[in-house]
Amino acid sequence: METVIFWLLAVAALGAGVMVITRRNPVASALWLVVVMFCLAGHFMLLHGFFVAAVQVIVYAGAIMV
């Protein structure tokens, strides 16, 4: 089950990363970057790094994107 979740998050992160690069609108690009950060937090949670996942969402997806 963890392997399936890993691959789903990986494909979603890669797809969102491509969207970050290809969007012309900076706001849309930033929103896709938030999706990448949430996927990265999901990977940290799979590794049982719950604190790092929370910091990833709060600091990067929350504070920096604002």
Side-chain angles (χ1 to χ4, degrees):
M1 184 64 182
E2 288 182 4
T3 306
V4 173
I5 295 171
F6 169 81
W7 283 108
L8 288 174
L9 287 172
V11 169
L14 285 173
V18 168
M19 294 299 281
V20 168
I21 296 169
T22 59
R23 297 300 97 190
R24 289 184 161 266
N25 187 354
V27 175
S29 183
L31 290 175
W32 282 110
L33 188 59
V34 169
V35 173
V36 172
M37 296 299 169
F38 274 105
C39 290
L40 185 60
H43 278 109
F44 283 132
M45 290 182 72
L46 286 176
L47 293 170
H48 299 285
F50 299 110
F51 177 74
V52 180
V55 168
Q56 178 76 30
V57 170
I58 292 169
V59 172
Y60 290 109
I64 291 179
M65 288 301 130
V66 169

